[in-house]
Amino acid sequence: MSRPRIVIVGAGFAGYRTARTLSRLTRHQADITLLNPTDYFLYLPLLPQVAAGILEPRRVSVSLSGTLPHVRLVLGEADGIDLDGHTVHYTGPEGEEGTLPFDRLVLAAGSVNKLLPIPGVAEHAHGFRGLPEALYLRDHVTRQVELAAAADDRTECAARCTFVVVGAGYTGTEVAAHGAMYTDAQVRKHPMRTGMRPRWMLLDVAPRVMPEMDERLSRTAERVLRQRGVDVRMGTSVKEATHDGVVLTDGSTVDTRTLVWCVGVRPDPLVESLGLPMERGRLLVDPHLQVPGRPELFACGDVAAVPDLNQPGQYTPMTAQHAWRHGKVCAQNVAASLGIGERRAYRHRDMGFVVDLGGAKAAANPLGLPMSGPAAGAVTRGYHLAAMPGNRVRVAADWLLDAVLPRQAVQLGLVRSWSVPLESSSPEVARVPGSPKRPGKDADPAGQRPDGEEAGTQPGGGPAKGRPGGEPAKNQPGGGPAKGQPGGEPAKEQPGGEPAKNQPGGGPAKGQPGGEPAKEQPGGEPAKNQPGGEPAKNQPGGEPAGSRSHGGRAKGGQSGSPRASGKPRRAVEAAGPRPARGGSAKPGKAPRASGAGSAGKRPTAPSGPSRSAGPPTDPGPEPPANQPPPGPDIAPGPVKRTDGRAAEGDS
């Protein structure tokens, strides 16, 4: 008799704990498969310390294969579940597709960014849900302080050293607290010419900091923030993000180049596709974390609405503390469904919360006892060390080194702005040029291409001039090029337009070395719309052939094409030809990614106005997608305009 197959979708707090506990309980009596887009478990509470340069990224990422030796790890994002067929369909990191059969399925997909329809936010802000976003923020803040220190103009200096954080919850409060310490340490060693100092702002529509937590913790956190010079504004949020700052709901305007979005999260949309009873976006389960009427289906973590037995009529909140405990109970009940052990209902006891505010400052209420100052700091860090499933010695060593040595403030340039767009619902995976399009995840707010030109930095890594977060808006002069617009990506069949096949700088033409014979050439067929026209069909890197629009599906099933026919998309161009991948997705699959912070479609916001970005300083390591790659050792030149002038900004 074959062993039962257990599939766990997501390796966040709930999914990781489920896999680890199940591996111990079943003792090789079941095949356990963990589906996750990354090969690590991310300890989110310490992510602000990564952005502040206290901890190295690998300290907060625990290897799945190293700590779960008896669990099979499959890298990919779930995008469809067939409950009747007992299969999970997924897409791998390189665009490959696969199916996982199961006898028991645990949904622990976590949560995704909550993006409100505020003009300009999707184009100018960056979230804070994954390692790529934390690394980008550290580089960006470091760069803005360095540029501000070198600036002679007080207005430019003030804008560059102003940092706006939206959302005064757990994450936003810690980001502002650690960020203020980080920038103060930078200017202490290298004072600014204008005599100014960095300014951090924390905004929220709530009446107080961390409104979901104990009021005494809230007062402690706000007091520490104000002592560090953070401008805390409650009852205020962003009304619009523009090219040179933000407009607040109180009517004031703040000049800034940095907008950090920590507004909150929502349950992963994957569960919505199942057609099962929901509660505010979460899948309804019983106290045993089992979906009623589906004995093979369990859910835990942020995607599950778990009844709170201590408060009848309510559900447990979406916190890491609950998700971690869900995982243990869920594993015990899955094992019980296989005849191993007994079922148990989820019942919790509030152990309190801890908030690390940097240095020796923290706010904590272990077992309901309110604490502040160094004592709270010791309790907070002790709790994190005890809760982490690995890397404890390395984390403690980094804390010790940070206490006795000055912090290193350098730009690594590992993550660019366009790699971590706010509209991405999979923040744990940074985008790279030429990567396959992830159906349903690469949203296109206001015409923004997910794999297009680098938004926040020029090819050499310099920030786009005059933009919060360093990200130019698409379709604006100096921003991401709009087709057919001066200075943008030229329209096809126009002078200076996108090179067609058979043209210099374009893809390999038919009938040329390395390509197929061009039509109406000796031994070939006629090409559509001769010189300056559309590119030849079925060539890697080219635009869709024929009269289809830019977002249409190219013939021949090129890599990166959407799996659902007729779905608008943006072409993804790799550095060289890529093998074709044919076929389309089975109908009815819900677009979605697995893992903590993974996702699906989200509301989009219209872009705000923008202005021209500064000239590039360095070509950078990778040309943005949808752009013809430069020749060997030749930096990309300016884009050709229809009026004969060179355009500023990225090429």
Side-chain angles (χ1 to χ4, degrees), residues 525-579:
E525 298 178 0
K528 294 187 178 181
N529 298 330
Q530 283 299 322
E534 299 280 332
K537 293 187 287 187
N538 296 335
Q539 296 297 324
E543 292 289 325
S547 60
R548 285 187 300 276
S549 64
H550 175 66
R553 180 169 182 160
K555 295 182 180 179
Q558 296 296 334
S559 175
S561 63
R563 297 202 304 276
S565 60
K567 184 177 180 180
R569 70 173 295 277
R570 288 135 309 181
V572 179
E573 179 179 339
R578 302 183 60 188

Side-chain angles (χ1 to χ4, degrees), residues 2 33 40 52 122 156 187 231 264 278 294 296 299 320 362 392 416 418 525 545 570 573 643:
S2 61
T33 301
Y40 59 83
E156 179 185 358
V187 299
D231 185 358
M278 309 288 292
R294 289 284 180 177
E296 77 284 0
R392 295 187 181 95
R416 302 297 184 89
W418 52 265
E525 298 178 0
R570 288 135 309 181
E573 179 179 339
D643 57 5

Side-chain angles (χ1 to χ4, degrees), residues 22 25 330-344:
L22 264 175
L25 292 176
C330 184
Q332 292 172 337
N333 292 335
V334 170
S337 71
L338 300 175
I340 305 172
E342 297 180 356
R343 298 175 69 197
R344 56 169 292 191

Side-chain angles (χ1 to χ4, degrees), residues 39-318:
D39 63 349
Y40 59 83
F41 158 75
L42 177 62
Y43 191 77
L44 275 169
L46 292 181
L47 201 59
Q49 299 192 23
V50 175
I54 299 174
L55 297 177
E56 290 303 311
R58 287 185 295 177
R59 306 296 186 256
V60 300
S61 51
V62 179
S63 170
L64 296 178
S65 58
T67 56
L68 302 173
H70 304 300
V71 176
R72 176 193 174 203
L73 173 64
V74 175
L75 293 179
E77 305 183 52
D79 49 31
I81 298 175
D82 183 357
L83 292 178
D84 295 329
H86 284 211
T87 57
V88 176
H89 186 276
Y90 70 92
T91 302
E94 296 183 354
E96 68 278 9
E97 299 179 9
T99 302
L100 297 173
F102 64 83
D103 298 306
R104 298 290 186 274
L105 176 63
V106 179
L107 293 178
S111 54
V112 300
N113 288 319
K114 181 192 294 182
L115 180 59
L116 304 179
I118 299 176
V121 166
E123 292 73 39
H124 308 308
H126 286 280
F128 199 81
R129 288 283 297 166
L131 273 179
E133 292 174 321
L135 291 175
Y136 166 74
L137 181 61
R138 183 169 69 179
D139 274 7
H140 175 77
V141 170
T142 304
R143 178 169 61 250
Q144 295 307 312
V145 172
E146 291 171 349
L147 292 174
D152 295 322
D153 180 64
R154 290 185 62 87
T155 302
E156 179 185 358
C157 179
R160 291 197 180 279
C161 62
T162 298
F163 308 95
V164 178
V165 180
V166 184
Y170 186 96
T171 301
T173 300
E174 287 197 339
V175 168
H178 283 279
M181 290 189 65
Y182 181 61
T183 53
D184 284 346
Q186 282 187 268
V187 299
R188 193 177 301 119
K189 292 184 293 184
H190 303 285
M192 299 182 183
R193 297 184 182 183
T194 57
M196 304 185 69
R197 297 190 64 81
R199 174 193 182 195
W200 284 79
M201 297 183 65
L202 181 62
L203 313 176
D204 203 307
V205 294
R208 59 185 176 90
V209 173
M210 297 189 301
E212 70 279 6
M213 298 184 184
D214 185 90
E215 188 173 352
R216 289 168 293 187
L217 291 183
S218 175
R219 290 197 300 265
T220 299
E222 184 172 350
R223 183 176 66 252
V224 172
L225 290 172
R226 293 190 184 279
Q227 288 174 351
R228 291 182 183 165
V230 177
D231 185 358
V232 180
R233 299 192 186 184
M234 295 293 99
T236 306
S237 188
V238 172
K239 181 179 180 181
E240 181 184 3
T242 65
H243 62 285
D244 56 359
V246 293
V247 179
L248 305 184
T249 52
D250 60 6
S252 61
T253 300
V254 178
D255 293 337
T256 180
R257 304 292 188 268
T258 307
L259 181 59
V260 186
W261 192 256
C262 301
V263 168
V265 295
R266 62 188 180 94
D268 194 294
L270 172 66
V271 297
E272 297 176 359
S273 66
L274 301 177
L276 298 173
M278 309 288 292
E279 170 62 29
R280 301 183 64 179
R282 295 196 283 174
L283 191 62
L284 275 173
V285 298
D286 60 23
H288 300 91
L289 304 171
Q290 193 168 21
V291 177
R294 289 284 180 177
E296 77 284 0
L297 181 59
F298 296 79
C300 55
D302 291 349
V303 297
V306 182
D308 190 341
L309 299 182
N310 293 332
Q311 303 182 50
Q314 298 188 26
Y315 299 93
T316 58
M318 296 168 55

